[in-house]
């Protein structure tokens, strides 16, 4: 695991014996074991200053980026290097299918000059550099965000991604192999400016969350067929940020405005079921899925709160709800301008047991098997960027 922090130092640093990492944490209730786990404020020897965000690059390769100094640092188990980027890099995504890192930069704090870049052969020991997506470049790109479906045991190769442009009711389909645009998919008929996307291989559906209009009204999610690139229609009255479980069988939507978590099952034939609702006042910041240790082929979901100190646990098969208490205060939203997720929740992979969520000055490890707090790692300031590498 790697946690990127703005603290000048942390109580635990990277060392060559990664399995020793959690022997140093405070109040452990259970020993964690992993051959590839990292905690760092940047490699053990180089303190962090002001980081934005980061996601896993996989194959033992992890990354951090510095918005103000325009570079992306690659941290591996045995070596470290730096890759120059466009100004203010704010989002990374590792596409395992093509061994690529996709990088979104803002250009400045006001997002006036956004660009999208790609790093090829990301896990290889080669001279890494960025290339701009084609045919757009730093002068014409209006990119606001991008979405690349995660590979899984069932859908292990991803051919296309989607790019979201600022204030445009359009999705831009992109070929991940050539990094070039394929076509535009209009959402104009549904008055939908996309803000976030989720995908299930069951039926091949994209679920698109629409931004609120000038009056504050929100449109229901739009469902897109990934094979025909045609809009099927709206997802009932479901509004909010969509998340899909790794097996594609559950669509979980968080509507913070109404304080709702809405859960829908997706059948093997791609039939989207009626939702069942869970009301919460936690102001959920992020969700992570965890396979069930009591039921075969089932998942649970953990939700972090951006304002409170509790974690929401939901057993998806039954709707059973539990609160995990005694976490600490999250980083304030105004102290985390890089995204609207001021407290992330990150799982440890398809077969992992543990999850990570930060507070303002520490990081908490949750036990997904026992559904409770496992331990706290102290003195990690604003550690809101977490990367798991390997299995826990």
């Amino acid at each position: 695991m790697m946690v990127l922090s703005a603290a000048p130092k942390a109580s635990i640093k990277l060392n060559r014996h990664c399995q020793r990492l959690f022997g140093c944490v405070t109040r452990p209730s259970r020993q964690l074991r992993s051959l590839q786990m990292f905690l760092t404020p940047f490699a053990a020897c180089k303190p962090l200053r002001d980081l934005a965000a980061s996601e896993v690059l996989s194959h033992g390769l992890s990354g951090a980026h510095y918005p103000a100094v325009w570079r992306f640092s690659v941290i591996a188990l045995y070596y470290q290097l730096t890759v120059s980027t466009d100004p203010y890099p704010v989002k990374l995504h590792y596409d395992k299918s093509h061994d690529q890192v996709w990088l979104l930069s803002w250009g400045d704090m006001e997002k006036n000059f956004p660009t999208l870049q790609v790093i090829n052969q990301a896990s290889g020991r080669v001279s890494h550099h960025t290339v701009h997506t084609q045919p757009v470049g730093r002068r014409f790109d209006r990119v606001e965000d991008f979405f690349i479906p995660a590979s899984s045991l069932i859908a292990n190769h991803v051919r296309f991604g989607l790019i979201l442009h600022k204030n445009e009711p359009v999705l831009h389909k992109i070929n991940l192999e050539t990094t070039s645009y394929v076509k535009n998919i209009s959402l104009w008929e549904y008055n939908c400016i996309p803000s976030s996307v989720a995908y299930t291989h069951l039926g091949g559906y994209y679920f698109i969350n629409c931004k609120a209009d000038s009056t504050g009204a929100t449109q229901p999610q739009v469902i897109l067929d990934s094979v025909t690139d045609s809009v099927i229609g709206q997802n009932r009255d479901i509004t909010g940020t969509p998340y899909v479980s790794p097996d594609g069988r559950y669509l979980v939507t968080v509507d913070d405005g109404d304080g709702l978590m809405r859960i829908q099952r997706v059948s093997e034939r791609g039939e989207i079921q009626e939702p069942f609702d869970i009301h919460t006042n936690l102001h959920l910041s992020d969700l992570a899925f965890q396979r069930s240790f009591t039921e075969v082929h089932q998942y649970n979901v953990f939700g972090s709160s951006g304002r409170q100190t509790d974690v929401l646990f939901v057993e998806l098969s039954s709707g059973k709800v539990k609160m995990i208490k005694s976490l600490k205060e999250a980083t304030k939203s105004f102290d985390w301008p890089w995204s609207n997720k001021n407290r992330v929740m990150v799982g440890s992979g398809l077969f992992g047991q543990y999850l990570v969520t930060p507070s303002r000055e520490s990081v908490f490890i949750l036990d997904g098997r026992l559904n409770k707090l496992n331990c706290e790692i102290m003195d990690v300031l604003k550690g809101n960027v977490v990367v798991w590498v390997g299995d826990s």
Side-chain angles (χ1 to χ4, degrees):
M1 181 184 70
M2 181 175 70
V3 178
L4 304 182
S5 162
K9 62 180 180 179
S11 59
I12 305 175
K13 292 181 171 62
L14 182 69
N15 59 61
R16 68 181 64 183
H17 300 294
C18 300
Q19 64 270 28
R20 296 179 183 176
L21 177 66
F22 286 95
C24 304
V25 301
T26 60
R27 300 189 300 278
S29 61
R30 184 181 180 94
Q31 184 72 15
L32 304 184
R33 292 188 178 90
S34 177
L35 297 180
Q36 291 185 325
M37 298 185 70
F38 308 89
L39 170 70
T40 177
F42 201 54
C45 58
K46 194 170 185 179
L48 287 178
R49 295 185 180 273
D50 206 0
L51 289 179
S54 179
E55 293 183 32
V56 70
L57 309 189
S58 192
H59 299 297
L61 197 62
S62 300
H65 46 84
Y66 299 74
V69 294
W70 313 350
R71 70 177 186 266
F72 164 66
S73 296
V74 180
I75 308 169
L77 184 57
Y78 300 112
Y79 71 100
Q80 172 188 322
L81 55 92
T82 299
V83 179
S84 296
T85 73
D86 287 342
Y88 287 83
V90 295
K91 179 180 178 178
L92 296 174
H93 176 82
Y94 177 67
D95 174 21
K96 188 175 182 180
S97 297
H98 302 93
D99 195 22
Q100 293 173 333
V101 172
W102 288 72
L103 168 68
L104 172 65
S105 299
W106 282 355
D108 58 22
M109 280 298 296
E110 286 71 41
K111 306 183 185 180
N112 288 320
F113 308 101
T115 58
L116 191 59
Q117 297 171 283
V118 180
I119 301 171
N120 293 305
Q121 296 180 275
S123 66
R125 291 202 176 194
V126 298
S127 177
H128 291 94
H129 64 278
T130 61
V131 294
H132 287 92
T133 55
Q134 298 296 324
V136 294
R138 65 181 66 200
R139 291 179 297 175
F140 304 108
D141 206 351
R142 292 168 51 86
V143 63
E144 176 93 349
D145 201 357
F146 66 92
F147 174 77
I148 298 174
S151 58
S152 64
L153 294 177
I154 300 173
N156 56 15
H157 184 75
V158 179
R159 290 187 60 195
F160 301 105
L162 299 174
I163 296 179
L164 289 60
H165 277 198
K166 185 177 181 180
N167 296 328
E168 291 184 6
V170 174
L171 290 169
H172 302 268
K173 188 174 182 178
I174 194 168
N175 187 312
L176 298 177
E177 293 183 3
T178 62
T179 68
S180 60
Y181 280 108
V182 177
K183 64 188 299 185
N184 294 341
I185 304 170
S186 176
L187 304 176
W188 182 267
E189 180 182 352
Y190 295 89
N191 192 28
C192 177
I193 297 176
S195 63
S196 57
V197 183
Y199 174 79
T200 175
H201 65 275
L202 298 177
Y205 300 137
Y206 290 106
F207 299 94
I208 303 159
N209 179 31
C210 306
K211 289 184 178 180
D213 62 21
S214 58
T215 67
T218 56
Q219 298 292 328
Q221 291 173 356
V222 172
I223 303 175
L224 176 71
D225 188 322
S226 64
V227 177
T228 63
D229 295 328
S230 59
V231 176
I232 297 174
Q234 294 177 323
N235 183 17
R236 295 180 172 83
D237 62 344
I238 307 294
T239 60
T241 304
Y243 300 82
V244 172
S245 61
D247 61 358
R249 297 184 180 186
Y250 289 96
L251 169 65
V252 180
T253 299
V254 174
D255 187 340
D256 192 49
D258 293 334
L260 281 177
M261 173 188 284
R262 313 196 71 179
I263 301 172
Q264 294 171 277
R265 289 183 174 90
V266 183
S267 72
E268 293 288 345
R269 299 173 58 184
E271 298 166 334
I272 305 166
Q273 308 297 321
E274 290 283 344
F276 65 91
D277 298 344
I278 295 174
H279 295 264
T280 174
N281 62 353
L282 284 180
H283 299 282
L284 293 171
S285 172
D286 196 15
L287 299 183
F289 293 93
Q290 172 71 50
R291 67 186 179 93
S292 173
F293 290 93
T294 58
E295 295 184 74
V296 179
H297 306 308
Q298 293 295 334
Y299 277 86
N300 304 322
V301 67
F302 289 77
S304 60
S305 172
R307 301 185 191 178
Q308 301 186 37
T309 58
D310 299 335
V311 167
L312 177 68
F313 164 83
V314 180
E315 188 176 78
L316 292 177
S317 61
S318 66
K320 176 184 175 183
V321 176
K322 175 183 176 181
M323 303 300 294
I324 302 175
K325 297 183 177 294
S326 300
L327 278 72
K328 296 179 179 177
E329 183 181 9
T331 300
K332 298 295 185 182
S333 297
F334 57 79
D335 285 333
W336 195 259
W338 316 110
S339 75
N340 58 4
K341 297 180 179 181
N342 61 312
R343 194 202 294 261
V344 297
M345 177 69 71
V346 181
S348 53
L350 290 175
F351 304 104
Q353 178 179 342
Y354 299 97
L355 304 97
V356 181
T357 190
S359 67
R360 193 172 68 86
E361 296 181 348
S362 63
V363 173
F364 288 88
I365 309 295
L366 306 178
D367 190 323
R369 180 186 293 272
L370 302 177
N371 305 324
K372 68 176 186 177
L373 177 63
N374 185 80
C375 62
E376 178 183 8
I377 302 172
M378 305 294 291
D379 302 322
V380 182
L381 180 62
K382 296 181 183 178
N384 199 39
V385 178
V386 180
V387 174
W388 286 91
V389 180
D391 298 319
S392 63

